[in-house]
Amino acid sequence: AMAAGDTYAALLNIGFYVTVSFWAGTKLSVCKEQYAQAHRSIEKHGYSTWLAHSIRHGKIISLLMDNNDNTDKSARSSAMESQLEQDLPEVNPRFAYYSFCQKMYISFILREYEQMKAFAEKVFEINLTYWTLMHHHTAYSFYGGLVSFWVYRQSNDPNWASRGHKAKIAMKKWAKSSGHNFQHKA
């Protein structure tokens, strides 16, 4: 697409490729290099929203690669958000959703309950009813369900159990409509 002059499509393909690679479990060092290349291309062509996504994914990968018991949690928290990321949610509410989902995910992986719950609350405040289903919504639904059930076990709040059950129902619907894609997930 880039050779044909369609910069937007080329960058969209790059973004899909590196995101799907991450969620598919590609080795983190490979993902880190893929995101660095994607970031350079996106920055070169001036797509600020995609640049913020690139920054976010790069940080998540770095946090996962560098995570150990000696990591300062305040340093991790400050690394969770750049100024560009802080400004974009007002301009682009979709970015807020993706950003909160990713922060919820990294907090879940690092077992930081309070931070995870705070980001999950922000995720569930955003209404996705009229949005186009994107490839990463399945991952966010899956992890949102896991987070919901964890919060329910801690709080006994039935709203969280309901959110977890809704995530299970969504995953089952997707599995039925695209059996060949979901055989390993159902």
Side-chain angles (χ1 to χ4, degrees):
M2 190 70 81
D6 191 351
T7 306
Y8 181 83
L11 293 175
L12 187 62
N13 285 334
I14 290 169
F16 282 154
Y17 178 78
V18 296
T19 302
V20 170
S21 292
F22 173 75
W23 289 111
T26 302
K27 194 173 176 183
L28 288 174
S29 59
V30 173
C31 283
K32 188 174 185 175
E33 181 53 35
Q34 289 174 339
Y35 273 102
Q37 290 173 356
H39 182 86
R40 286 190 296 272
S41 294
I42 293 166
E43 190 172 41
K44 176 182 172 185
H45 295 288
Y47 285 83
S48 62
T49 301
W50 294 359
L51 189 59
H53 283 287
S54 169
I55 291 168
R56 162 80 17 239
H57 282 286
K59 285 182 181 180
I60 288 172
I61 291 166
S62 292
L63 285 170
L64 290 173
M65 289 178 75
D66 298 337
N67 185 39
N68 60 43
D69 293 334
N70 299 326
T71 305
D72 178 16
K73 285 189 179 191
S74 64
R76 273 194 287 193
S77 294
S78 66
M80 291 287 273
E81 193 158 301
S82 70
Q83 187 61 44
L84 179 60
E85 292 169 300
Q86 290 173 11
D87 295 341
L88 275 173
E90 296 170 13
V91 177
N92 186 344
R94 285 182 184 234
F95 177 79
Y97 173 76
Y98 301 130
S99 180
F100 294 145
C101 283
Q102 291 169 347
K103 292 172 186 177
M104 176 188 70
Y105 167 75
I106 196 69
S107 299
F108 173 78
I109 295 298
L110 298 176
R111 310 301 288 169
E112 295 173 351
Y113 176 81
E114 292 300 326
Q115 190 174 16
M116 176 203 70
K117 182 180 175 190
F119 288 126
E121 288 169 344
K122 291 179 181 182
V123 165
F124 289 114
E125 287 175 5
I126 299 172
N127 181 0
L128 293 179
T129 306
Y130 300 107
W131 290 17
T132 303
L133 178 66
M134 298 293 286
H135 61 282
H136 43 271
H137 285 160
T138 56
Y140 294 155
S141 290
F142 177 73
Y143 286 106
L146 293 178
V147 165
S148 295
F149 286 125
W150 184 12
V151 174
Y152 171 69
R153 283 192 311 274
Q154 298 295 317
S155 68
N156 244 1
D157 181 346
N159 291 327
W160 288 100
S162 174
R163 290 172 178 157
H165 289 294
K166 286 178 184 175
K168 282 176 46 178
I169 290 168
M171 293 298 288
K172 284 181 182 180
K173 283 182 186 177
W174 292 328
K176 284 182 181 178
S177 68
S178 301
H180 62 284
N181 289 337
F182 283 89
Q183 286 176 351
H184 64 288
K185 294 180 180 126

